[in-house]
Amino acid sequence: QVQLVESGGGLVQAGGSLRLSCAASGTIYGINSMGWYRQAPTKVRELVARITSSGLTNYLDSVKGRFTISRDNAENTVDLQMNSLKPEDTAVYYCTADIRTRTTSLNVYNRFWGRGTQVTVSS
């Protein structure tokens, strides 16, 4: 079993910062990409940022220059530093990780999701 646990969400005023963290634990033989999604009320879930095992990143256009994703491969963690937050960033943020849980196949990774952490940005 694999578990992803997010932390760091909360309430912040516009222009402020938050740092989200996510830790993966369980039967892990390898992690490919890790990332953060978010979903606001009535909105579709969208990819906010993603980082590969080698450190390559991509971002949702609306957060470029404000958010930074990073990871620690030794600790199986991924963080999202969020600066200059806007009310439009309000959403539940979900951590994801593509994890190999078996040794029988090198190319099979399963997508795991955290339960989400609420980020609320007030104006």
Side-chain angles (χ1 to χ4, degrees), residues 32-109:
N32 194 7
S33 293
M34 305 183 79
W36 291 91
Y37 288 74
R38 70 184 182 187
Q39 187 168 21
T42 74
K43 302 295 185 180
V44 67
R45 184 174 297 179
E46 60 185 354
L47 177 65
V48 178
R50 182 168 60 186
I51 183 168
T52 70
S53 60
S54 60
L56 300 178
T57 61
N58 56 21
Y59 296 91
L60 183 68
D61 284 344
S62 61
V63 309
K64 288 181 178 178
R66 299 188 297 120
F67 291 9
T68 302
I69 189 170
S70 61
R71 66 188 288 170
D72 186 331
N73 292 333
E75 298 294 331
N76 293 331
T77 59
V78 60
D79 292 350
L80 185 68
Q81 178 66 46
M82 304 185 294
N83 298 326
S84 301
L85 283 163
K86 304 175 181 179
E88 302 86 77
D89 297 317
T90 296
V92 177
Y93 284 71
Y94 298 89
C95 172
T96 68
D98 298 334
I99 299 175
R100 183 164 66 90
T101 60
R102 294 182 178 182
T103 60
T104 55
S105 180
L106 296 176
N107 297 321
V108 176
Y109 290 80

